[in-house]
Amino acid sequence: MPEVKSMFREVLPKQGQLSYEDVPTMVLCKPKLLPLKSVTLEKMEKMQREAQEAIRQQELAQHEKK
């Protein structure tokens, strides 16, 4: 690969400290626990149970009238 000439020249200090940017490293963090069911799915299941219970109540009421 041919070297690309830069329009900037590297300048190193003759005395004192040479500073450099920190190299990013991996940082371990706590694992995030995800729910097995989403909140929306839980709401939908609750609505379905309530609807089934209401239908069952209506059917019981109809059987009692007969």
Side-chain angles (χ1 to χ4, degrees):
M1 232 185 206
E3 253 185 65
V4 177
K5 264 196 161 183
S6 176
M7 57 189 260
F8 297 105
R9 189 171 57 89
E10 183 178 1
V11 178
L12 295 174
K14 300 282 186 225
Q15 62 182 14
Q17 291 184 343
L18 176 64
S19 66
Y20 62 95
E21 290 187 24
D22 192 20
V23 177
T25 58
M26 292 190 65
V27 177
L28 298 177
C29 58
K30 291 182 179 180
K32 292 181 174 41
L33 298 177
L34 299 174
L36 296 176
K37 292 184 178 180
S38 68
V39 175
T40 307
L41 181 60
E42 288 179 1
K43 287 181 183 178
M44 295 292 288
E45 288 177 344
K46 181 180 176 187
M47 287 171 55
Q48 186 175 11
R49 282 193 304 269
E50 290 172 353
Q52 287 175 340
E53 182 65 27
I55 290 170
R56 196 171 65 81
Q57 292 289 337
Q58 288 176 356
E59 288 175 351
L60 286 175
Q62 286 178 356
H63 285 292
E64 289 176 2
K65 287 183 182 179
K66 292 182 181 179

